[in-house]
Amino acid sequence: MMAGSALRRLMAEYKQLTVNPPEGIIAGPINEDNFFEWEAFITGPEGTCFEGGIFPAKLVFPPDYPLSPPKMQFLCEMFHPNIYADGRVCISILHAPGDDPMGYETSAERWSPVQSVEKILLSVVSMLAEPNDESGANVDAAKMWREDREQFNKIAEEIVRKTLDLPPP
Amino acid sequence: MPGTLVDRLPLPNLKVYTAGSVLLLSIAVYHATIVTSDPNWRANITLQRQEALAEPDGEAQLVDQAEVMPALNLNATRNLNERMVVIITFMMQEPLCMWTLINIAYCFLAVFGFLIQRVVFGQLRVSEAQRVKDKFWNYVFYKFIFIFGVINVQYMDEVMLWCSWFTLVGFLHLMGQLCKDRFEYLASSPNTARWVHVRLVGLLLGILAASTALLGVAVAWGLPAGKDTFAFMAAECLLVLMSVLHVGARYVLQQRGADAAGALAYYTHLGFDSASLVLELMHVVHMVVYSNMLVSMASLVLLMQLRHLLHELQARLRRHRLYTSLADHMSRNYPMASKEEVEKNQDNCAICWEPMKEARKLPCSHLFHNSCLCQWVQQDASCPTCRRGLAHGAPPPPPPTPPHNHLFHFDGSRYVSWLPSFSVEVTRARPSAAQLDAMVAQVLGMFPQADPAALRADLLLTRSAHLTLDNILEGRLQPPAEAPTVRPISPLEAPPAPEPAPPAPEPAPPAAEPGLDNLDVGSTSAIFSRNAPEREQNLRRRKEMLVAAARRRYLERRGEAAPPRS
């Protein structure tokens, strides 16, 4: 019922992201037969342990986008406190206003139709730089991030090399 | 699901089935030719039949027909036509041949359906195929119940008639379902060739015509057979008609470019949805009443279906009430923006990103399309941009629905004694002004230095003094929302002060792939092409460039040589 307006909005976002992309970010539908599934590539933020990596992720939009947020899942191996083992991203901007069972987030941080793919991806970049260890999607990573930063950095380095298709050092 | 069980059965594919059916038919025709070439065949058959008649058998009608047939003089000149008529007549009378004829009819229908699928839909998508399969078995299941449970047919002929009727209607149902699924899919894909739509519309018109014709059949044959029969037949046709018309209406609405949420579109959907639900409901009630059976498997199934339908209808009406009361609430409390305001506002609607000719203005002075806002507010009663609660500060008559608790109570025993009863409470409560004041006072008691306005705003969000206290303790207290507090959570302010990270100007590294080295990582912007394959190709190319550039920079920074390309 809503697919038409969702489609128009996604097309507008795709155009904007193509013509005027934020640095180090690419996103768009890989196969336009399904415009509701995008692939995104984000560059690991400089000065962090993920620096230089290119991380591919899948974005799946609901038919009532932008009323509901898309889902995001990394397609490469990831080790990060806010990313589940299967790659799903746990970040407040991707949570619909209704669902916050834990009461962690104020609704100001959550999804609203004025958000966009670009804002999501920028948030994810900043999440890579600064994990939020309150919401532990990956408990091991959260623990290591707190207690053994050196080891964490090493694992991140390996992941970065993998995303660049480079052999381990 | 009956479907999963059937999946495991070794069903032949269409080719094998068609070949088998054609083979059977040719055997039957051959048999008929042999038998009828005997000049005395009619006499023989009649003799057999009369013997058979001695036993009580349900084929009296057929025998009558056979006897009524004018005795053909087979010694007369036999032209081909006559011969064919004879063979067909024979086949109609002979039960085995009759079955092969029925079989071939089904085979034709299957091939026909397959052709339509090929021409109009092409390869079915997995979800479409699954949906059709589910719907098919569901349909077969309910019609079986109908034939043997509800109308309780006694004679084979009657079963055959109903079966062929349901085959045709079911065929149309499935095609309609496919059209609907495909339409939804097309509506969500930006680049479809015009002829795809033309074919789909053609099929829709075909189904429309066919179901009207079936309705005619129901009038012509069903009506003389009794009002009940007619009602059963007509309901089926009307359901198909309704679903096809709904898809058609959606097509028209889409072509007219009407905003999917506009009032016209909304009421069209509401009308079709509730009309078909009501119709189906009446159909099932009619079946229950007609069959007049209280404890049987069939009644159980029908009542379950009835419950499901009622439930859906209730849910639809509840959604509608929510919608109207929201629309009402908005139009009462938030006036449309004046012409000057809309003109002064250069921005597009922040929800759909399309320009605004008319807009509704919220108290926080953010403008949105009325329909966009209506849809959002159904989910969350706040301004999408600044998150200011819309229920807050409303004039004395409190806004009716969004902040209400919905208590949905299903009393199963009202329908049948064994149905369960349950209640679901949907809480969307916002604290009332008095509660809010009390909570603010409570928190202020512990943190006298806190800003009451900020507390109030935070309490509106958390709805709990406890959570707000946590927020204060952890320094997450939101400042009162004056300016739009959309937080794109800019990443660039977030990373810790970067260590000397050289931006890697281009010293033309030796390892760079040819053709890519003149490209900067940041400038992966591209022209937005008008056609899809080109866009897809551009996207892939930009991705490759991004990865190549990142790899190059990475190696440079580490002072490593590029690994040999595999």
Side-chain angles (χ1 to χ4, degrees), chain B residues 272-563:
Chain B
F272 274 110
D273 283 350
S274 38
S276 48
L277 275 174
V278 166
L279 186 65
E280 210 174 340
L281 200 72
M282 278 166 27
H283 186 45
V284 177
V285 168
H286 183 196
M287 281 194 241
V288 174
V289 171
Y290 177 82
S291 60
N292 194 17
M293 33 155 202
L294 289 175
V295 189
S296 76
M297 224 26 222
S299 67
L300 194 92
V301 171
L302 286 180
L303 288 170
M304 291 300 273
Q305 203 194 3
L306 201 60
R307 195 187 84 157
H308 168 76
L309 285 171
L310 264 177
H311 203 112
E312 229 166 80
L313 191 65
Q314 264 174 332
R316 190 72 186 85
L317 292 180
R318 223 165 336 114
R319 275 215 312 279
H320 175 61
R321 274 204 300 277
L322 181 65
Y323 173 87
T324 45
S325 62
L326 270 174
D328 185 49
H329 171 60
M330 298 237 288
S331 58
R332 246 186 306 135
N333 294 311
Y334 313 121
M336 296 301 277
S338 65
K339 259 220 165 83
E340 299 86 65
E341 278 172 323
V342 178
E343 273 163 21
K344 213 170 67 190
N345 180 310
Q346 294 294 311
D347 294 338
N348 291 347
C349 167
I351 297 178
C352 65
W353 288 28
E354 276 165 49
M356 292 187 280
K357 285 198 194 89
E358 285 189 319
R360 200 171 280 287
K361 186 178 174 190
L362 292 180
C364 47
S365 74
H366 291 119
L367 304 183
F368 302 95
H369 282 132
N370 183 34
S371 54
C372 293
L373 195 58
C374 255
Q375 290 184 34
W376 167 248
V377 172
Q378 285 179 49
Q379 287 189 22
D380 189 78
S382 70
C383 166
T385 304
C386 66
R387 295 289 189 174
R388 179 176 161 157
L390 291 184
H392 181 53
T401 32
H404 269 206
N405 290 5
H406 293 285
L407 183 69
F408 171 69
H409 180 67
F410 178 79
D411 184 4
S413 55
R414 250 171 44 207
Y415 312 108
V416 198
S417 56
W418 46 265
L419 277 178
S421 304
F422 57 86
S423 321
V424 180
E425 188 173 3
V426 187
T427 314
R428 295 186 62 177
R430 234 158 237 286
S432 72
Q435 280 173 318
L436 200 63
D437 286 342
M439 286 197 286
V440 172
Q442 188 190 347
V443 179
L444 272 178
M446 291 182 237
F447 292 90
Q449 75 281 16
D451 174 14
L455 279 185
R456 181 175 279 274
D458 194 62
L459 279 168
L460 257 181
L461 298 172
T462 60
R463 298 162 201 179
S464 134
H466 184 70
L467 287 176
T468 296
L469 280 176
D470 282 353
N471 282 345
I472 297 176
L473 288 172
E474 289 169 31
R476 284 186 305 213
L477 195 59
Q478 298 278 316
E482 305 138 356
T485 52
V486 212
R487 309 199 336 163
I489 315 179
S490 165
L492 304 172
E493 71 192 13
E499 296 109 60
E506 302 284 314
E513 288 90 326
L516 291 173
D517 45 1
N518 55 342
L519 288 153
D520 189 15
V521 190
S523 68
T524 46
S525 73
I527 297 150
F528 193 68
S529 165
R530 282 197 163 195
N531 76 46
E534 219 165 277
R535 280 197 299 261
E536 286 169 7
Q537 204 191 336
N538 278 345
L539 188 65
R540 273 197 298 275
R541 206 171 46 84
R542 287 170 59 212
K543 173 205 145 187
E544 279 160 20
M545 273 160 32
L546 184 74
V547 173
R551 187 186 295 137
R552 204 171 60 225
R553 285 206 311 169
Y554 182 89
L555 290 175
E556 245 167 59
R557 193 173 300 144
R558 307 305 283 319
E560 281 178 46

Side-chain angles (χ1 to χ4, degrees), chain B residues 227-280:
Chain B
K227 279 205 180 76
D228 285 316
T229 313
F230 171 69
F232 287 140
M233 290 172 91
E236 294 280 343
C237 296
L238 286 176
L239 279 174
V240 177
L241 266 177
M242 203 88 90
S243 71
V244 173
L245 282 176
H246 193 182
V247 179
R250 287 164 73 172
Y251 240 118
V252 172
L253 285 171
Q254 196 200 32
Q255 288 305 310
R256 285 186 39 189
D259 191 342
L264 178 65
Y266 179 82
Y267 282 103
T268 315
H269 291 311
L270 179 75
F272 274 110
D273 283 350
S274 38
S276 48
L277 275 174
V278 166
L279 186 65
E280 210 174 340

Side-chain angles (χ1 to χ4, degrees), chain A residues 29-154:
Chain A
I30 281 295
N31 178 357
E32 290 201 16
D33 285 344
N34 182 358
F35 218 83
F36 285 68
E37 192 174 313
W38 286 26
E39 233 166 87
F41 301 90
I42 49 185
T43 309
E46 291 195 2
T48 71
C49 54
F50 293 104
E51 173 169 352
I54 302 288
F55 304 100
K58 186 174 75 172
L59 284 163
V60 178
F61 297 90
D64 66 344
Y65 182 82
L67 298 178
S68 302
K71 290 196 171 55
M72 181 170 177
Q73 184 176 25
F74 277 101
L75 298 173
C76 61
E77 187 189 320
M78 272 308 221
F79 189 72
H80 186 281
N82 307 120
I83 300 174
Y84 288 96
D86 64 357
R88 277 178 301 127
V89 180
C90 176
I91 182 173
S92 60
I93 192 176
L94 290 179
H95 293 170
D99 58 81
D100 180 25
M102 319 293 280
Y104 279 136
E105 312 140 0
T106 59
S107 76
E109 290 166 347
R110 275 182 262 146
W111 178 257
S112 127
V114 301
Q115 307 289 12
S116 63
V117 176
E118 181 174 340
K119 286 176 186 165
I120 292 170
L121 295 178
L122 290 175
S123 300
V124 170
V125 172
S126 86
M127 177 198 80
L128 288 181
E130 280 199 323
N132 166 15
D133 50 5
E134 266 173 57
S135 72
N138 183 339
V139 183
D140 296 340
K143 196 164 168 238
M144 196 182 288
W145 169 262
R146 273 197 307 271
E147 293 167 7
D148 190 355
R149 191 64 64 86
E150 211 163 290
Q151 181 65 20
F152 187 93
N153 290 349
K154 229 172 114 189

Side-chain angles (χ1 to χ4, degrees), chain B residues 45 101 117 185 191 201 233 260 430 446 563:
Chain B
I45 293 273
L101 279 183
Q117 182 235 306
Y185 173 65
N191 22 42
V201 172
M233 290 172 91
R430 234 158 237 286
M446 291 182 237

